[in-house]
Amino acid sequence: IATFFINADVRGRVPEIQKLKKELAFQGRVTSELAILKEQSRRASQATPILQSLLPSGDALIDFRRDLRALALADKIDFGFEFGLDSSGNKLEPASLSFRMTAAGEAQKFIGFLRAIESMPYFVGFGSIDVSQTGNRFNAFLDGRVFYNKEGR
């Protein structure tokens, strides 16, 4: 009789034991993932100053418009430019200064101008580019941001 009650008690606890075993395995996986995330966070925080040092200082952006104009002149591109709003950035994104630019020129020279922008010592992101073509001439309106190191290092 005692064996019967013990077996009945054990059978009754099996689902509870299995549930606790699954919870324990889940908590082990969560703990492991948390440790990985903490290590990745530590490594990312070490890399942030290095990445920031690659960006030009805010003062260097004074030359950005002049450098774009020089590229446009070299490729015989009609060019207009104005700076917009400054964004101070945060932990996930560096500081940036918005701009609006117009450019127009022959197809090959226009493409050369855009490629030259990519090779400039600035980190530029375009939010929108509106391009139209008339014959062999491109006209473009570009909105973008140039990123910089707010710390000025």
Side-chain angles (χ1 to χ4, degrees), residues 52 57-58 148-153:
Q52 283 287 343
S57 70
Y148 67 96
N149 182 351
K150 191 156 186 110
E151 309 300 313
R153 290 181 218 143

Side-chain angles (χ1 to χ4, degrees), residues 6-142:
I6 291 174
N7 280 339
D9 186 47
V10 169
R11 278 191 218 128
R13 291 183 186 241
V14 167
E16 183 181 336
I17 291 170
Q18 289 174 334
K19 180 182 173 188
L20 289 173
K21 189 175 176 181
K22 286 180 184 178
E23 285 181 20
L24 186 59
F26 175 74
Q27 288 177 357
R29 286 193 307 271
V30 168
T31 301
S32 175
E33 292 294 323
L34 180 60
I36 290 169
L37 287 173
K38 283 183 179 181
E39 174 60 19
Q40 289 175 341
S41 174
R42 183 190 65 75
R43 290 175 53 204
S45 67
Q46 290 174 341
T48 299
I50 294 167
L51 294 173
Q52 283 287 343
S53 71
L54 296 175
L55 294 173
S57 70
D59 291 342
L61 295 185
I62 294 170
D63 297 331
F64 180 63
R65 179 192 330 225
R66 184 199 65 201
D67 293 345
L68 282 172
R69 187 175 311 281
L71 290 176
L73 286 172
D75 286 323
K76 297 181 182 168
I77 299 293
D78 297 331
F79 176 78
F81 183 91
E82 65 181 27
F83 279 117
L85 300 175
D86 192 3
S87 170
S88 61
N90 56 45
K91 286 185 177 183
L92 300 176
E93 189 171 287
S96 66
L97 184 57
S98 68
F99 63 87
R100 175 166 285 160
M101 178 172 55
T102 58
E106 293 178 19
Q108 289 298 335
K109 292 182 179 191
F110 182 80
I111 291 169
F113 172 68
L114 293 179
R115 286 191 177 139
I117 291 173
E118 290 178 344
S119 66
M120 292 177 72
Y122 303 98
F123 290 86
V124 178
F126 290 105
S128 68
I129 301 175
D130 182 17
V131 179
S132 62
Q133 183 178 5
T134 306
N136 191 34
R137 188 167 173 83
F138 282 107
N139 298 302
F141 297 95
L142 303 103

